[in-house]
Amino acid sequence: MVGQTSGYDLPPKNILDVMRAPLPPVPVVSPTKDKMLLVVWQLYPSIARVATPYLRLAGVRVEPKNHSKHDTPGGYGITECATSFDLATIPGGAPVHVALPEPSCPQEPVWAADGKKFAFANIAVDSVELWIGDAATGAVHRVDGVRLNPMFGAEMQWMPDQKALLVKLVPDGMGGPPPEPVVPIGPAIQETGGQTGQSSTYENRDTLGNKHDEDLFDYYAASQLALVNAGTGAITPVGKAANLDDVSAAPDGQHILVSAIHKPYSYVTTYDRFPHEVEVWDISDRAGVTKHTIASLPLADRVPIRGVALGPREFEWRPTDPATLVWAEALDKGDWNVEVPKRDKVMLQKAPFTSPAVEVVQTEQRYSGIDWSERPSVALVYEYDNNKHMRHALIVDFDDPQEKPRQIWDLSSDEHYADPGMPVTMQLANGFQVMRQDGDWIYLSGIGSSPEGDRPFLDRFDVKTLTYERLFRSDKTSYDRFLSFTGPDTRKFLTWEQSPMDPPNAYERTLGKHVDAPAGEAMFASTRVAITHIPDPSPEVRAIKKRLVKYKRADGMDLSFTLYTPPGYKEGTRIPAILYAYPEDYADPSKAGQVTGSEERFTQLYQYRLLLLAGYAIIDDASFPIVGDPKKAYDTYTEQLVADAKAAVDEAVLLGVADPNRIGVTGHSHGALMTVNLVAHSDLFRAGVATSGSYNKTLTPFGFQNEQRSVWEAPDVYMKVSPFFYADKLKTPLLIVHGAEDANPGTIPLQSIRLYEALRGNGGTARLVLLPHEPHWYSAMESNEQLIYEMLRWFDKYVKNAPPK
């Protein structure tokens, strides 16, 4: 590569200052609503932490030194660390700083239901520790002798009595991990016997590959279940060590749902499809554990794409019963292609788990969860239709099988304006979350998308009459979202308010008298009192202006973007611009033009937006709908991409901001595919920057995004949407960036390497940057600084300072 240098490069100082500023905190409100923890998360860890050695074991990346997870689910980013906790009192008072361990990587704190304590995992040098904090003083301490195993999650949870924590521990006396054999044990062998069955295209390095990988998986997956007394720190083992996946205690505190992984393993899929033994452990007799088998789930390595495995799945305890287990099972062989009148059934089984499970309800489409009410007779059961992009909600009485379920919502999943929001929950004394209910009213909170942008709301909904009352809605000059009620009085609640000029802060609102209000507005007046006073971490960013822009595609479809202009911009001046977008698939064209997002959010700069500080305008989050029957929408993918881009560019030029001869385009992941297709199939852009994309869809042959056909069913579509096959015609300068350790199944680093080689071999202008140790989303400070350096260098050379066309 011409001009290649070693080491990391830095963008200009004004950009570095913003990148290195702390983030605003995130509130974690206590169940008793008298305290909140303000948690500041680290935006960019060091490359030293990101480069920590790890093992790839069946879809989980494990750091052997401390037995911690190296990444988030799916390999999208490094596990986040908190940098500070502050304990704030409601309704007011100066926050108390919590002295965290040094060095440390605290995880999200989890409150006890009585609000007296909070607990968090801390990723230390040699182990994952358990820490407990006192809500009265903010003092925290480490629990000696606890080494958590977070490999599959659920490593720490409060027991229903709130006096102890249920934890998964690294077993004592394990010794060292299995040594890698100097001489191979034998070949890695896979065999198929003629059965059909699709699976996602996993990167081979992250699935098991041989017998030694299996031994390592068993070593790091092994957990010992235990109870930790939050007061004394005493540790009581529960049962024997096993490869424990999900664990959860029943409301009675005597039964524990335990899912354990066992052989035979697969080399083509990840651990969640391995065989599982699902049991309920009765720990009421401290002398031993009584086990009840709920399901023996076999290896599921041939589940259809977007399908589900056969047998019981999605287990959960009913919050208002002592020990009642609920789960779903497929009625369509787990395959959405199968035509059936009902797709799933919901089952229920009560302690002592000796009687057969009872069917409660069948769903027409795929079951997708339950919201329980504090009143036992009401629950909302959700289902989803992937083919038609529809979602439904039913009111189901789990105690009266004769009571027919009632459908209350039947909406497109692409519907934003009429989205009813999600039920507001409260925490019971046993720690379980349930919907807040007063009489026949439940409460709903949502983001409130509208033609003017998002305006979060709080409604109450009558489950008998199916009518709404709007209690609160954010005004048009801020972005104010509901956090929680502050107590039994539903007239008082917390919100988290921000504006382009004001960082997020917590307020207590009180509803007043009934008012006459236009449709969709609040029916009650409200007053507010500030709870927190968080300062602006980056005052220099306030000079940036933004506005919502609405326009139309050539076929009349409504579109929008947010236009950012740099500090010191003079209206009417044409400047270089960069378009960013992420294409979205829509089955219903009437929903494709709905506006989402808000220009009233506190302005923060990440990745490409940082180029505002270098004098660029940003055409941000431009609407890029791909509309059509989900079974064949990608037949017109490239045509719709170009139409979307032309409409956005034309509008930015018409506003007098964008210079039509100096516009670049960028996108990440599926947006990177968009970027390369746009520079390949249009002349709208002078240069492109594509990050962590997939450019040859034949390498993901069983579908991608919402394309449901395989490459053998639609070979022309796969070729047409893959810019790799147009490399001989692609002459627009293209910067390609990829995380070298990307485990996202569709965007392995090979995709970028092969595209660069194709462009280089065909005489294109391109630069390939592989960021060491980075997953799908770039984590390290050094990597992100390099990314901005590369983007700025590329766009300055080929866009800002480009010669006239």
Side-chain angles (χ1 to χ4, degrees):
M1 187 183 300
V2 176
Q4 182 178 9
T5 59
S6 61
Y8 287 93
D9 297 293
L10 297 175
K13 183 179 181 303
N14 66 323
I15 294 179
L16 280 177
D17 289 344
V18 173
M19 293 184 73
R20 295 175 178 180
L23 292 173
V26 176
V28 183
V29 182
S30 76
T32 49
K33 316 304 181 188
D34 59 341
K35 302 277 187 180
M36 72 167 67
L37 283 164
L38 299 172
V39 181
V40 176
W41 292 100
Q42 182 182 50
L43 181 57
Y44 303 121
S46 69
I47 189 63
R49 177 168 175 263
V50 175
T52 302
Y54 63 87
L55 301 170
R56 301 174 175 89
L57 298 173
V60 183
R61 294 180 169 188
V62 179
E63 295 182 10
K65 186 173 182 180
N66 59 10
H67 221 110
S68 71
K69 284 191 67 173
H70 186 76
D71 63 354
T72 55
Y76 292 98
I78 301 301
T79 303
E80 290 183 300
C81 300
T83 60
S84 71
F85 292 172
D86 285 300
L87 187 63
T89 300
I90 301 169
V96 174
H97 185 67
V98 178
L100 295 176
E102 290 289 348
S104 65
C105 179
Q107 305 298 285
E108 183 169 358
V110 180
W111 284 98
D114 60 12
K116 295 179 179 179
K117 296 181 184 294
F118 57 91
F120 60 92
N122 177 53
I123 303 174
V125 174
D126 298 317
S127 66
V128 180
E129 305 167 338
L130 174 64
W131 285 68
I132 296 177
D134 187 306
T137 65
V140 297
H141 69 276
R142 179 173 61 85
V143 181
D144 293 335
V146 173
R147 297 179 64 223
L148 298 175
N149 185 353
M151 184 166 174
F152 304 125
E155 68 272 19
M156 175 196 75
Q157 57 195 274
W158 287 96
M159 287 293 285
D161 64 5
Q162 309 305 305
K163 296 178 181 178
L165 291 115
L166 180 67
V167 298
K168 292 196 298 187
L169 302 179
V170 175
D172 291 332
M174 292 183 65
E180 186 169 0
V182 177
V183 177
I185 297 174
I189 299 173
Q190 300 180 48
E191 181 177 351
T192 184
Q195 311 98 314
T196 59
Q198 307 166 358
S199 60
S200 295
T201 310
Y202 293 100
E203 187 176 5
N204 289 334
R205 292 179 298 171
D206 275 23
T207 53
L208 302 180
N210 52 50
K211 179 63 169 59
H212 179 59
D213 283 353
E214 293 189 39
D215 293 341
L216 287 172
F217 179 84
D218 284 334
Y219 178 85
Y220 287 102
S223 292
Q224 173 64 58
L225 206 59
L227 296 173
V228 176
N229 186 296
T232 66
I235 302 170
T236 305
V238 177
K240 295 182 179 179
N243 294 352
L244 302 182
D245 185 358
D246 191 30
V247 298
S248 62
D252 65 1
Q254 297 181 2
H255 295 85
I256 300 175
L257 177 68
V258 177
S259 177
I261 302 169
H262 62 83
K263 293 180 178 179
Y265 300 147
S266 168
Y267 293 1
V268 299
T269 189
T270 50
Y271 76 90
D272 52 322
R273 298 286 172 83
F274 288 176
H276 282 66
E277 198 71 12
V278 182
E279 299 173 329
V280 171
W281 292 5
D282 185 342
I283 62 171
S284 56
D285 183 358
R286 300 301 181 182
V289 172
T290 303
K291 299 181 180 181
H292 305 277
T293 299
I294 304 298
S296 296
L297 304 176
L299 177 66
D301 59 351
R302 293 183 181 273
V303 177
I305 299 295
R306 299 180 184 85
V308 296
L310 295 178
R313 69 180 198 279
E314 300 186 53
F315 297 90
E316 62 179 280
W317 293 108
R318 185 176 181 182
T320 52
D321 281 0
T324 297
L325 201 58
V326 176
W327 67 82
E329 295 183 35
L331 298 170
D332 61 356
K333 301 181 180 180
D335 188 349
W336 57 267
N337 289 291
V338 175
E339 295 291 338
V340 289
K342 301 287 186 178
R343 203 162 289 282
D344 275 345
K345 62 180 178 180
V346 179
M347 307 296 291
L348 177 149
Q349 191 174 27
K350 294 175 178 276
F353 305 100
T354 53
S355 300
V358 176
E359 181 181 301
V360 179
V361 66
Q362 293 187 356
T363 60
E364 291 186 9
Q365 299 303 328
R366 187 67 69 216
Y367 166 86
S368 59
I370 299 177
D371 273 322
W372 302 95
S373 170
E374 59 181 315
R375 297 198 171 189
S377 62
V378 176
L380 300 187
V381 174
Y382 301 99
E383 53 183 284
Y384 177 64
D385 183 343
N386 188 63
N387 287 326
K388 298 179 180 178
H389 287 211
M390 295 297 293
R391 56 195 174 105
H392 316 276
L394 307 171
I395 294 180
V396 177
D397 188 334
F398 276 70
D399 293 322
D400 185 358
Q402 303 304 316
E403 182 73 22
K404 186 177 180 180
R406 291 184 297 139
Q407 186 176 86
I408 58 171
W409 297 320
D410 181 15
L411 297 168
S412 167
S413 59
D414 303 323
E415 172 59 64
H416 300 289
Y417 292 172
D419 186 342
M422 295 299 296
V424 174
T425 62
M426 58 176 286
Q427 198 165 19
L428 298 176
N430 61 20
F432 282 79
Q433 293 284 345
V434 294
M435 293 185 293
R436 180 71 177 263
Q437 187 171 355
D438 294 329
D440 292 329
W441 295 106
I442 63 172
Y443 295 85
L444 304 169
S445 174
I447 62 172
S449 296
S450 74
E452 291 74 40
D454 294 347
R455 293 180 59 197
F457 64 85
L458 173 67
D459 285 352
R460 61 179 182 175
F461 176 71
D462 191 312
V463 295
K464 293 292 186 184
T465 64
L466 308 186
T467 56
Y468 295 85
E469 281 189 5
R470 178 138 296 174
L471 304 180
F472 166 77
R473 189 182 189 190
S474 178
D475 64 32
K476 296 181 179 180
T477 60
S478 66
Y479 185 88
D480 197 4
R481 66 179 179 88
F482 174 85
L483 283 181
S484 70
F485 292 110
T486 56
D489 183 355
T490 55
R491 294 182 306 114
K492 291 181 178 292
F493 54 90
L494 297 176
T495 66
W496 191 244
E497 183 177 355
Q498 58 188 290
S499 74
M501 304 301 291
D502 302 307
N505 271 285
Y507 291 85
E508 183 178 50
R509 284 192 173 269
T510 302
L511 295 181
K513 63 180 181 179
H514 190 279
V515 296
D516 292 329
E521 298 295 333
M523 301 173 65
F524 296 86
S526 66
T527 57
R528 64 173 193 165
V529 176
I531 303 296
T532 62
H533 304 275
I534 298 163
D536 187 345
S538 304
E540 59 270 42
V541 175
R542 287 335 111 213
I544 290 168
K545 306 298 182 186
K546 59 182 174 181
R547 51 182 148 158
L548 176 67
V549 178
K550 294 187 283 187
Y551 54 101
K552 291 183 181 292
R553 202 164 75 172
D555 58 4
M557 185 171 296
D558 292 322
L559 304 176
S560 65
F561 59 69
T562 299
L563 180 65
Y564 289 81
T565 50
Y569 173 74
K570 294 182 179 180
E571 200 66 36
T573 305
R574 293 196 181 276
I575 58 176
I578 298 166
L579 181 145
Y580 171 87
Y582 188 94
E584 299 281 359
D585 301 334
Y586 292 89
D588 183 350
S590 69
K591 307 298 186 293
Q594 292 188 353
V595 176
T596 58
S598 172
E599 61 183 299
E600 303 305 332
R601 284 179 175 270
F602 184 60
T603 302
Q604 295 177 267
L605 303 183
Y606 310 112
Q607 296 183 331
Y608 61 92
R609 287 183 189 167
L610 288 158
L611 272 63
L612 281 156
L613 301 174
Y616 289 87
I618 303 294
I619 305 166
D620 198 25
D621 283 330
S623 301
F624 263 65
I626 306 300
V627 183
D629 183 340
K631 295 180 179 179
K632 55 183 180 181
Y634 277 80
D635 290 0
T636 58
Y637 170 73
T638 52
E639 293 87 348
Q640 292 196 63
L641 278 186
V642 173
D644 291 333
K646 187 176 187 310
V649 167
D650 287 351
E651 187 65 22
V653 171
L654 183 64
L655 292 171
V657 175
D659 180 344
N661 292 311
R662 294 188 296 165
I663 301 179
V665 60
T666 187
H668 184 80
S669 194
H670 193 49
L673 174 69
M674 169 207 76
T675 296
V676 183
N677 269 310
L678 286 175
V679 296
H681 298 292
S682 78
D683 59 358
L684 296 166
F685 304 102
R686 301 303 300 272
V689 177
T691 59
S692 295
S694 172
Y695 313 110
N696 180 353
K697 289 302 181 182
T698 67
L699 297 179
T700 54
F702 292 109
F704 58 90
Q705 256 355 66
N706 283 328
E707 174 54 63
Q708 301 171 358
R709 296 165 293 185
S710 73
V711 68
W712 298 278
E713 295 171 301
D716 293 342
V717 172
Y718 277 71
M719 295 282 285
K720 184 179 178 181
V721 305
S722 301
F724 175 83
F725 296 106
Y726 297 88
D728 58 332
K729 300 177 177 62
L730 203 165
K731 303 304 178 185
T732 303
L734 182 66
L735 171 63
I736 308 166
V737 184
H738 214 114
E741 305 296 337
D742 191 345
N744 185 36
T747 58
I748 58 175
L750 182 65
Q751 290 273 2
S752 286
I753 294 169
R754 290 290 183 259
L755 176 63
Y756 172 75
E757 291 172 348
L759 294 172
R760 181 179 181 275
N762 282 286
T765 300
R767 179 177 172 91
L768 173 64
V769 178
L770 293 177
L771 298 171
H773 305 289
E774 289 293 351
H776 190 61
W777 290 103
Y778 315 142
S779 298
M781 174 65 79
E782 292 87 343
S783 300
N784 282 278
E785 290 170 350
Q786 183 75 39
L787 172 66
I788 300 307
Y789 167 84
E790 296 287 350
M791 294 183 80
L792 185 57
R793 172 187 176 275
W794 198 256
F795 282 134
D796 276 358
K797 181 176 182 179
Y798 293 110
V799 176
K800 180 183 285 188
N801 301 316
K805 287 186 179 180

